[in-house]
Amino acid sequence: MEETSTMPDQSVPAVPSIPAVPPTPPVPLSALLAREDLALRLIAGPPDTGTVIHWAHTSEMADPYPYLLGGELLLTAGVHIPDAAGSGTYFDDYVSRIVAAGGAALGFGVAPVHDTVPRALVAACDSYELPLVEVPPRTTFSAVARAVWQLMAQARHAELRRVSEAQQSLATAASRPDPVPAVLRQLAQRVGGWAVLYGPEGAELATAGRKPGDTARTALNELAGVVRPGPTSPGPVAPTGPATPTGVGTGTRAGTDRTAPPATGCPVPLPPVAATTRPAPSLSPSPSPSPSSASDTLAGTHLAAYALGPGQGFVLGVAAPRRDPGDHTIVSVAAVLLSLLTGEHHSGAGAARSSALVRLLLGAAPEAVAPLLGGERWVVVHARPDTHAPDAVAASALGTALGSPLVDLAQDVVRVLVPADRETTPQPGWTFGVSAPSDPREWALADTQAARALARARATRTPLVHHAARPALADLVPAEDAVSHARTLLAPVAGTPALTETLRTWLSLHGSWDRTAVALSVHRNTVRQRVARCAALLAADLDDPDVRMELWFALRQHQPARQDR
């Protein structure tokens, strides 16, 4: 008898390295039974088991096992049934083979061969808990197959729309001032579970969503250790065949998959994310590399861990109560974004920076090691979040946005050393102060310039302020004379850095009390008191523009000792 089948092009989807689109979702049997135009009727098997159908297949073979892939609605008119089938074990053998092959349900067409569904077939389906659907005479098998196609197309469209919306929301989250927590929040919302970013040492750096129980959290932490690179990582668990995450499926029912993955509790490597794919293990006796991703299921909670970046140790963990077909695609997109936000910026840059640090500690001049860091002229950027104190994750993400891994996190400011040939652009949620380009011998001065530029940016509510590096009046006066004049003029206040810095900021902001208070993070009355104290000690009329100009000139030459921030 000729075998015919109706199934989508991706009947047994091979999960790609980059899951561009999710696999076609299966169709609930209940949705097919609800079609009034088909008039199908469930007459045997469990009443409501959540059975899903991956495709429809028509066969009149007495043993359809060799032709089934799993997950089918097998349609038959009973041509293969012998006359004496009801008195033997024919129907038990027939149904057991369908179940063993992973068939999801059996559809029996009434007419033209049989007027009713054989009662022995009904009993066998009840015994093996295989849903049996009666197909009335007016409904053709082609109509049933077309309905399966239509329902699958609707489900696929809905799933593609869900994945597309999730990708857009994740990309939007990645552009926010706190991108890593924002991406985790979106991911947790889209998969309906919990998302966590583990650091290289295994600590939870950021989390979002509903936290699972302690057992699931412990299991997820252990799963993260499977994919985390390094000598302490557990070795990868290699399945006997290609790993298939739950929800992608091979079309088989639970408990009947002839190529089922290992039992619960044994981590199964998922298809690798593109940004984290690693080379295949070599045949040498060296340790095998960790897998890029792994999954597990514990007490109904689906767990997955993804390694982020090329061997940096960051891991994304996800715990969700279900795993829909598009969830792997959504999590993969989040993993790629988090890899960009937390990963290295240049191949080999880490070793070069370590070498530069060692040389500095051993006495090398900054200008001698600057080429190892990526440039000869630099700018110092001082950045401050608009809404909250900076943290390590936000600082790392900021360094990625600015294109430099040379980041220093202080109490209330992030300092980034950026090659001068890279343009520093405003970032949402941050206020920047940028120094003039300088060589390594002037890094301390550039740090001071960036701090003052940040203070001015905050005072004027400007996202980014550059230190002015144009020729000024000071260039017309010999440097020795200018410094000597400044030292003499500012002597009465030079011993009190708070007074000189307040005077400098107040003059730079055109005498604005409020803006100076914001820039210095003090009360405006404190600013008034300090400026009045400066006027008294200097015996100067600070309302006189000539006096202000002379003091500004002197303050430009006066560089107080650099203080660590």
Side-chain angles (χ1 to χ4, degrees):
M1 182 69 67
E2 180 182 1
E3 291 288 320
T4 62
S5 64
T6 58
M7 61 187 71
D9 293 339
Q10 295 177 331
S11 57
V12 185
V15 183
S17 297
I18 306 176
V21 294
T24 302
V27 175
L29 178 60
S30 58
L32 195 63
L33 295 173
R35 291 281 296 257
E36 295 182 358
D37 58 321
L38 299 179
L40 303 178
R41 189 166 63 97
L42 183 67
I43 60 174
D48 184 13
T49 60
T51 301
V52 294
I53 299 169
H54 288 263
W55 44 76
H57 181 79
T58 301
S59 175
E60 296 299 339
M61 303 294 293
D63 182 11
Y65 182 100
Y67 306 98
L68 299 182
L69 296 174
E72 295 93 347
L73 169 61
L74 178 62
L75 300 171
T76 180
V79 176
H80 57 88
I81 300 176
D83 294 337
S87 59
T89 62
Y90 180 85
F91 287 114
D92 279 347
D93 296 339
Y94 178 70
V95 172
S96 67
R97 292 290 282 173
I98 297 174
V99 172
L106 176 64
F108 193 90
V110 178
V113 181
H114 297 270
D115 295 332
T116 60
V117 180
R119 281 185 285 182
L121 178 60
V122 175
C125 288
D126 278 330
S127 176
Y128 285 93
E129 297 186 347
L130 177 69
L132 176 61
V133 177
E134 181 187 74
V135 182
R138 67 180 179 87
T139 302
T140 64
F141 287 175
S142 296
V144 175
R146 183 173 63 248
V148 171
W149 263 97
Q150 291 172 345
L151 291 172
M152 293 183 77
Q154 294 172 4
R156 181 166 180 76
H157 176 73
E159 191 69 1
L160 287 174
R161 183 172 58 185
R162 183 177 80 93
V163 171
S164 177
E165 291 174 352
Q167 290 174 337
Q168 294 176 3
S169 65
L170 288 170
T172 301
S175 65
R176 291 177 180 169
D178 52 347
V180 171
V183 169
L184 291 176
R185 284 195 298 270
Q186 277 297 322
L187 176 58
Q189 178 181 348
R190 294 295 174 174
V191 302
W194 186 58
V196 54
L197 175 65
Y198 295 105
E201 303 300 327
E204 295 179 2
L205 299 182
T207 64
R210 299 190 302 272
K211 291 184 178 180
D214 293 339
T215 303
R217 288 182 68 181
T218 301
L220 184 58
N221 189 25
E222 294 175 353
L223 200 64
V226 173
V227 302
R228 182 178 295 110
T232 59
S233 300
V237 178
T240 58
T244 303
T246 303
V248 174
T250 59
T252 55
R253 293 200 306 159
T256 62
D257 188 353
R258 286 169 286 167
T259 58
T264 299
C266 180
V268 181
L270 289 174
V273 181
T276 59
T277 301
R278 295 181 175 84
S282 64
L283 298 179
S284 64
S286 60
S288 300
S290 301
S292 297
S293 53
S295 68
D296 195 4
T297 302
L298 181 65
T301 300
H302 299 280
L303 310 176
Y306 293 75
L308 305 180
Q312 298 308 306
F314 290 96
V315 176
L316 169 64
V318 178
R322 65 181 187 279
R323 186 175 293 157
D324 294 330
D327 286 347
H328 178 62
T329 303
I330 294 172
V331 178
S332 297
V333 171
V336 171
L337 291 172
L338 291 171
S339 295
L340 296 175
L341 293 171
T342 59
E344 291 292 297
H345 311 285
H346 304 287
S347 178
R353 290 197 305 274
S354 298
S355 177
L357 177 60
V358 171
R359 294 186 190 186
L360 283 173
L361 293 174
L362 295 179
E367 58 270 20
V369 301
L372 293 174
L373 300 176
E376 295 184 356
R377 289 184 62 79
W378 303 76
V379 296
V380 178
V381 178
H382 278 221
R384 186 165 179 173
D386 296 339
T387 57
H388 54 79
D391 55 33
V393 175
S396 176
L398 177 62
T400 299
L402 296 180
S404 174
L406 303 175
V407 179
D408 174 40
L409 174 61
Q411 182 176 2
D412 59 353
V413 70
V414 178
R415 299 189 296 180
V416 187
L417 195 59
V418 181
D421 58 355
R422 294 180 190 163
E423 181 182 1
T424 301
T425 57
Q427 299 294 322
W430 290 87
T431 301
F432 286 170
V434 184
S435 74
S438 62
D439 60 41
R441 291 171 297 184
E442 299 172 337
W443 279 349
L445 175 61
D447 185 45
T448 302
Q449 293 174 351
R452 292 173 181 169
L454 175 61
R456 183 173 180 82
R458 294 186 63 241
T460 58
R461 292 183 172 86
T462 305
L464 185 148
V465 169
H466 286 273
H467 174 78
R470 62 184 184 276
L473 181 62
D475 298 326
L476 304 177
V477 181
E480 297 80 2
D481 295 343
V483 172
S484 176
H485 174 72
R487 187 181 299 114
T488 301
L489 181 62
L490 298 175
V493 296
T496 310
L499 293 181
T500 56
E501 190 62 24
T502 300
L503 182 59
R504 185 197 314 276
T505 306
W506 182 73
L507 290 173
S508 72
L509 296 172
H510 310 291
S512 172
W513 309 106
D514 292 333
R515 291 183 177 181
T516 303
V518 171
L520 298 176
S521 299
V522 298
H523 195 275
R524 66 195 306 268
N525 289 340
T526 302
V527 175
R528 288 182 177 275
Q529 292 170 4
R530 290 180 181 177
V531 172
R533 180 62 176 166
C534 289
L537 292 175
L538 296 171
D541 180 7
L542 297 184
D543 292 330
D544 187 334
D546 289 334
V547 173
R548 290 192 181 192
M549 182 185 68
E550 185 178 11
L551 286 172
W552 180 248
F553 174 83
L555 287 166
R556 292 291 300 272
Q557 315 311 311
H558 177 72
Q559 297 295 341
R562 178 178 178 272
Q563 297 179 353
D564 292 334
R565 292 178 174 82

